[in-house]
Amino acid sequence: MSMEPNNRRDAFDRRYFDDPDYPPGLKGGDEVRGYGYYPDYFPVVQAQLAALAEITSGGTLLDAGCGKGALAEYARRELRLHTVATDASDYALHQARQRRGGQFTVAADVIALPFCSQAFDLVWCNGVLQYLPGEAAIPALRELARVAGQAAFVSNIAACHRHGEWGRHDDLTRLYLTPGQWESLARRAGLHALALPFEGESAILLLAGITSLSAFRFVDRALELMRRLGALDRDPPLLAHFIRKCRAAKA
Ligand SMILES: C[S@@+](CC[C@H](N)C(=O)[O-])C[C@H]1O[C@@H](n2cnc3c(N)ncnc32)[C@H](O)[C@@H]1O
């Protein structure tokens, strides 16, 4: 059954985050931290954000579409990033405000962020754009890039999940794109973007003030941290292609 547009915002209410039966088969049981849909996913995201903060020396972060605020709290507590979190769901905002630094949580749609250009060194947007209608993807990418001084990390559901449990049961996800397709969209928007080789998700980096070489260092470091956290057991198949692209961009 497909969801009517006016119900979509409410869909990200309590049942999405806290009801183990919604949507069936997608909850991983770690709802306390707010990263329930895959039990082993939080260390992956932790590693990615820690790596990006490290290679850019960014001091400020926007977590756009923060959900229950788990990553924003991690960024503040462990990475010492001055972090603002935004979301469109009242329930998510309420939850995110209970966390450390939660007073810096703002209601905002990702396609209209209430911040000036380059307001943050780093911008994070994980698992949000996949819920937009296709025509909103380019404006959203532009908006994320606009507020990023150095880089914006944008990650969405992997395209292959369309044909798995996720696609069968989740009636909210609209965009199942590969990293290359996200990169093409970003380039059509006039942005400097690089598809990232991480497995299980469809991630790109929008390069505002950093180079492809920095992007390579980011990926390399993120994979190393994932390994240390026990969240990686093999090099991603797309890694060699990514390295070639970074080298070509540098040449
Ligand atoms: C799958 S959760 C991801 C939350 C968090 N980023 C994470 O990685 O766990 C999707 C989040 O995106 C939010 N969201 C969906 N559409 C949005 C929009 N147009 N603008 C802002 N937030 C949106 C939802 O309210 C929800 O909190």
Side-chain angles (χ1 to χ4, degrees):
M1 185 175 38
S2 77
M3 178 127 334
E4 293 303 316
N6 57 351
N7 288 338
R8 296 186 72 86
R9 187 174 156 169
D10 293 344
F12 287 101
D13 220 317
R14 178 184 299 276
R15 67 184 187 135
Y16 176 85
F17 288 107
D18 286 343
D19 179 353
D21 296 324
Y22 177 81
L26 298 181
K27 297 293 180 180
D30 187 13
E31 293 304 319
V32 177
R33 301 183 76 178
Y35 266 70
Y37 26 91
Y38 287 123
D40 303 328
Y41 189 44
F42 195 66
V44 170
V45 185
Q46 269 180 288
Q48 290 167 330
L49 180 57
L52 191 63
E54 195 180 301
I55 65 113
T56 58
S57 308
T60 54
L61 173 75
L62 172 68
D63 186 3
C66 63
K68 288 164 71 173
L71 190 70
E73 182 175 56
Y74 165 76
R76 294 177 186 122
R77 196 184 52 227
E78 304 294 330
L79 305 177
R80 304 276 171 219
L81 293 171
H82 297 286
T83 302
V84 173
T86 59
D87 204 281
S89 143
D90 290 338
Y91 176 71
L93 290 164
H94 176 74
Q95 297 288 318
R97 287 186 177 125
Q98 312 302 309
R99 293 175 179 270
R100 179 173 173 156
Q103 67 272 29
F104 301 106
T105 306
V106 177
D109 194 300
V110 73
I111 62 166
L113 295 169
F115 307 109
C116 60
S117 297
Q118 302 185 5
F120 304 92
D121 297 330
L122 306 176
V123 171
W124 205 259
C125 187
N126 189 59
V128 179
L129 302 196
Q130 65 209 37
Y131 302 110
L132 296 178
E135 68 276 11
I138 285 186
L141 289 169
R142 279 208 183 102
E143 191 62 348
L144 293 166
R146 181 184 67 77
V147 299
Q150 295 191 44
F153 176 90
V154 183
S155 182
N156 285 293
I157 189 82
C160 59
H161 287 312
R162 170 179 236 140
H163 307 293
E165 285 295 296
W166 190 291
R168 271 196 289 280
H169 298 296
D170 179 70
D171 57 4
L172 288 172
T173 304
R174 301 199 236 202
L175 299 177
Y176 290 93
L177 304 179
T178 64
Q181 288 171 319
W182 280 109
E183 182 189 274
S184 299
L185 277 182
R187 289 185 180 215
R188 268 174 43 205
L191 306 171
H192 186 193
L194 205 52
L196 300 173
F198 300 118
E199 256 188 296
E201 63 188 325
S202 197
I204 57 170
L205 199 60
L206 303 175
L207 309 164
I210 66 169
T211 61
S212 306
L213 180 61
S214 306
F216 167 73
R217 286 174 42 227
F218 156 60
V219 167
D220 195 44
R221 181 69 175 141
L223 294 176
E224 184 187 332
L225 293 176
M226 282 180 209
R227 249 178 236 111
R228 278 196 209 166
L229 291 167
L232 187 77
D233 47 21
R234 65 166 186 170
D235 277 346
L238 289 175
L239 184 59
H241 175 69
F242 173 75
I243 292 171
R244 276 197 303 277
K245 261 181 90 168
C246 288
R247 285 204 183 115
K250 194 180 154 224

